[in-house]
């Protein structure tokens, strides 16, 4: 293998330079390409196929809970953006402004949507009249634009793809229920489908979404010990409803404001997959999300028996997402290419395997290699894909546990933050000043107040006053 | 029925005011909603579900021919848009310009993509090096913006959803082959899936896409005799490749320009479905595209036997897209609602039906009503859905034939154009002047030069010079 791998240019080792390792994997696994549009990425076929896989599964899970897809305009008139005070303050500094349509200057400038709360409010104001019209549980798949200064593929780009769910409910309880339901759906999806363990919790006042009453989040730990926010769900209460005047006539014949939520996941998840599962040979994809689950690589592919064997394997494995690499590259090149692209299983078949009615299975994650008779091939592949999915999750969970530290004092917190990458759990008094102080030094932000609280001390790690919450702190993407 | 229908507000009769009929159907079938963003539409759940159905099937058909999905930026820097002369002339007058990002003025303004040829060229210039990289057969699903002055839902809006395929090939022959392949795919899709008969042909020089060597099109005839362009496929030759410098090293070690194509279909197709199949009771959806194929409407739904019957029917019909309307509306309201939404089949079940182990099936298109025993229900529904799909196509084809006229002289052409809505077939000398003259009076444009040519006269219907092509003329959306 060592020699063969030279055929595919190696990636920078993640221990040497994690950021460069990430960029190398993105480029060499052919996920994205830089474009002439500064800060924007082109998503290449293999990267987009991963997104389609994510999108398909999320959409199925959404629809099971009654979500309906819709499509709203891609632009927001300035006056509409300004209707909710906190919201416009949060987003106005980072939007792109359209000032001309065709040859004419617009009477009112419009921004390209950075998120669509205001558009859905505008819509619900027309569409919701009576309690019979509620709840509205809508979602859209689209791209949004935020004018970031520094960008990195998938993690931070001026445009990204996402889904944004926006709901309207009759009561505060129903809105809260939906907010939590979607956060849990996101967490289950991340853990079950992407094999990424997450911490579920609530954002602090400082970190919550512009205009929300409460923001819930799932946070994952990357290989380098930095946190990545993987999905958020917001409860708006009736704040937007009051700003936009969204009222319904209830059964008791009274006009009432609706209660709203929104929730989103983005192409950032692809960055999470790379940084949670990848290694120095490239990408590692969990079988459930992998566009190609099994790659068949023939050895001496011009041999007629090998040709026949290839075809037979493709047939036998037709219940999986299987592909045969019959290009004119060398087997060694193909092996390295499979590894770079993170294809979970590789099947090798050569003349001797054909003679013996067998094939060789190689796991991407462990490089484990076993020989299997053709009769057992299908069952063995099914079993191994399931094992890989589980193992990836367990390995990531184990790592997350190892990289999660408890701090009982400011000094201990500083010591951990400076020397041990990962999550730091510590008690907090709930005040903004202590949060700001930790941001300044040792440079960590609150990731979330986990739903699963533990009282690891009585007092705030910063000010020593009585603690109200245990918080996950960390450096984040 | 007549009385019940009043419960759902009736649509304007299409014979009285076709444009108003169209707008009424769009609104009352809940397909779109107007927004505060002038010229932009919000697509509501039922309208979007039709688009998802179209998208799913088209995407499957694309992938069978080797198409890969990708995603390019939503903005184009002005200098990039300007690289191909004809292209920028065609699009510059109708784009939206972004001049500010966040708080800063951009160094170079960018337009929101009206179409993405220039972005794909920019991408291919980097991504294509060798003959081994070809062909590239890429597609993206996205929205585009064109600053239209007058707008109508689905037919002409400032933003619409579409797919745009963009390919690069080693030779002119391969590019031509792909251009024709996709046009034929579109035609088959329109006829087989949407039940819309189309005329396949080539656009004239005047009507072709900005920057293309040749544009192929499928044209359909609406109920009012106006034509609607339903999909186009363009062969660019090496024009864009030369403007952008997209070259590859061929097997013979020479640098050569690639040959490119692009092809697209849009949410406009939903407009076509409405105007080809709809009637004065509302929408009529072909079963293959219908998000709900069968609606079960209970009569006296509180009756326990009816409740059981409803559930049983839903189970028996689980291979179809079936839904039960168990809302608290009256059966009459539900019937009218099913009709407005164009649901192909309605199943009615009441106490007496339960007693007799039967249900009543009602076709949306013909209002034909039959009683079927529960044992036969599944087979009968399958058969009827197939029949409806075929009948809708045949009815539309019949109408298209009846509304297609041959003109042998300018006077005859004028007489037909003024009095008989539809396609006019007439011979043409191939010169722009005659085309311009027909546009002025009697106000028809060339829809296409059909692939299936017939020589219906020797001379041009305008100038009397020798004819080169038989052309379909008409008034168009």
């Amino acid at each position: 293998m060592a020699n063969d791998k030279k055929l595919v240019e190696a990636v920078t080792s993640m221990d040497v330079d994690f950021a460069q390792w990430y960029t190398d994997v993105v480029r060499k696994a052919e996920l994205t390409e830089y474009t002439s549009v500064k800060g924007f990425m082109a998503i290449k076929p293999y990267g987009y196929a991963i997104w389609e896989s994510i999108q398909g599964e999320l959409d199925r899970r959404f629809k099971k809970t009654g979500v309906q897809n819709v499509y709203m305009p891609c632009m927001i008139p300035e006056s509409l953006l300004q209707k909710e005070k906190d919201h416009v303050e949060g987003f106005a500094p980072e939007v792109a402004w359209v000032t001309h349509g065709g040859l004419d200057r617009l009477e009112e400038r419009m921004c390209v949507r950075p998120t669509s709360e205001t558009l859905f409010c505008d819509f619900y104001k027309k569409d919701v009249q009576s309690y019979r019209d509620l709840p509205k549980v809508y979602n859209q798949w689209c791209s949004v634009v935020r004018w970031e200064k520094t960008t990195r593929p998938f993690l931070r780009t001026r445009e990204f793809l996402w889904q944004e769910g926006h709901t309207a409910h009759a009561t505060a309880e129903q809105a809260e229920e939906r907010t939590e339901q979607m956060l849990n759906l996101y967490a289950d999806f991340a853990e079950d489908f992407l094999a990424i363990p997450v911490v579920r919790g609530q954002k602090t006042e400082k970190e919550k979404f512009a205009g929300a009453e409460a923001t819930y989040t799932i946070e994952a730990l990357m290989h380098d010990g930095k946190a990545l926010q993987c999905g958020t769900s917001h409860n708006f209460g009736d704040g937007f409803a009051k700003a936009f005047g969204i009222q319904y006539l209830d059964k008791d014949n009274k006009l009432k404001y609706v209660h709203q939520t929104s929730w989103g996941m983005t192409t950032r998840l692809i960055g999470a997959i790379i940084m949670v599962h990848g290694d120095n040979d490239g990408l590692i994809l969990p079988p459930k999300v992998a566009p190609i689950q099994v790659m068949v690589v023939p050895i001496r592919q011009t041999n007629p028996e090998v040709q026949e064997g290839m075809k037979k394997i493709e047939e036998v494995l037709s219940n999986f997402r299987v592909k045969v690499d019959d290009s004119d590259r060398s087997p060694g090149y193909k092996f390295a290419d499979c590894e770079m692209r993170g294809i979970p299983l590789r099947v090798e078949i050569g003349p001797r395997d054909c003679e013996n009615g067998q094939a060789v299975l190689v796991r991407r994650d462990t490089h484990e290699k076993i020989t299997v008779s053709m009769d057992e091939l299908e069952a063995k592949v099914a079993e191994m894909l399931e094992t890989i999915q589980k193992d990836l999750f367990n390995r990531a969970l184990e790592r997350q546990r190892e990289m999660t530290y408890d701090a009982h004092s400011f000094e201990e917190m500083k010591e951990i933050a400076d020397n041990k990458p990962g999550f730091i759990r510590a008690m907090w008094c709930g005040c903004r000043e202590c949060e700001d102080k930790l941001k300044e030094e040792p440079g960590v932000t609150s990731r979330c107040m986990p739903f699963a609280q533990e009282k690891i001390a009585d007092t705030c790690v910063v000010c020593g006053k009585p603690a109200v919450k245990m918080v996950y702190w960390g450096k984040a993407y």
Side-chain angles (χ1 to χ4, degrees), chain A residues 31-280:
Chain A
L31 303 181
T32 69
E33 181 62 81
Y34 294 99
T35 69
S36 296
V37 194
K38 203 177 158 243
F40 289 67
M41 62 178 168
I43 307 180
K44 298 178 79 169
Y46 195 55
Y48 199 82
I50 297 173
W51 181 239
E52 285 181 308
S53 172
I54 289 172
Q55 197 173 14
E57 177 68 13
L58 260 185
D59 201 65
R60 270 188 292 280
R61 292 183 185 220
F62 287 166
K63 283 177 176 157
K64 272 190 198 158
T65 75
V67 173
Q68 294 183 298
N69 286 335
V70 299
Y71 189 77
M72 296 290 150
C74 68
M75 293 186 196
I76 309 173
E78 188 163 19
S79 57
L80 201 62
L81 186 69
Q82 287 173 336
K83 281 206 172 176
E84 209 287 334
K85 199 180 59 65
D86 292 334
H87 189 68
V88 65
E89 270 177 26
F91 283 103
E94 60 175 38
V95 297
W97 290 104
V98 175
T99 55
H100 289 75
L103 305 172
D104 303 322
R105 189 176 186 88
L106 300 184
E107 278 175 38
E108 179 186 14
R109 65 178 185 165
M110 304 209 265
C111 70
V112 181
R113 65 178 161 220
T115 180
S116 304
E117 276 74 12
T118 53
L119 293 160
F120 276 87
C121 284
D122 181 52
F123 178 81
Y124 287 141
K125 187 179 160 55
K126 289 197 189 98
D127 214 44
V128 174
Q129 307 292 335
S130 141
Y131 69 92
R132 300 177 91 145
D133 299 328
L134 295 172
K136 294 282 186 197
V137 186
Y138 289 174
N139 173 67
Q140 72 177 2
W141 292 94
C142 63
S143 83
V144 288
V145 169
R146 297 176 187 178
W147 221 252
E148 306 285 355
K149 295 224 191 302
T150 52
T151 59
R152 301 188 63 195
F154 295 124
L155 299 178
R156 197 169 291 277
T157 44
R158 287 189 170 167
E159 179 189 22
F160 57 85
L161 301 178
W162 78 346
Q163 59 67 217
E164 46 178 327
H166 296 269
T167 70
H169 306 268
T171 68
E173 292 68 36
Q174 285 163 20
E176 177 60 22
E177 198 181 317
R178 178 55 78 167
T179 315
E180 289 173 20
Q181 177 183 22
M182 298 317 286
L183 198 275
N184 286 321
L185 186 154
Y186 284 163
D188 294 343
F189 171 78
E191 300 198 329
D192 169 50
F193 197 73
L194 308 180
I196 296 177
V198 293
V199 177
R200 307 169 195 215
Q202 185 173 355
K203 288 282 184 191
T204 59
E205 278 298 296
K206 178 181 174 178
E207 298 287 340
K208 74 178 190 187
F209 183 81
E213 271 189 3
T215 289
Y216 303 131
T217 179
I218 52 171
E219 303 278 328
L221 203 61
M222 305 298 104
H223 229 302
D224 62 346
K226 279 199 197 165
L228 188 77
Q229 176 181 304
C230 288
T232 48
S233 185
H234 318 290
N235 187 344
F236 293 118
D238 57 7
F240 273 93
K242 284 181 172 160
F244 283 80
I246 312 170
Q247 289 183 298
Y248 70 97
L249 197 65
D250 205 353
K251 285 179 189 167
D252 60 12
N253 222 28
K254 285 185 185 153
L255 267 180
K256 297 180 185 170
Y257 286 106
V258 300
H259 291 74
Q260 292 171 270
T261 83
S262 82
W263 23 273
M265 271 192 158
T266 78
T267 32
R268 194 170 227 225
L269 289 174
I270 300 174
I273 295 170
I274 298 169
M275 292 195 290
V276 167
H277 300 304
D279 67 14
N280 284 331

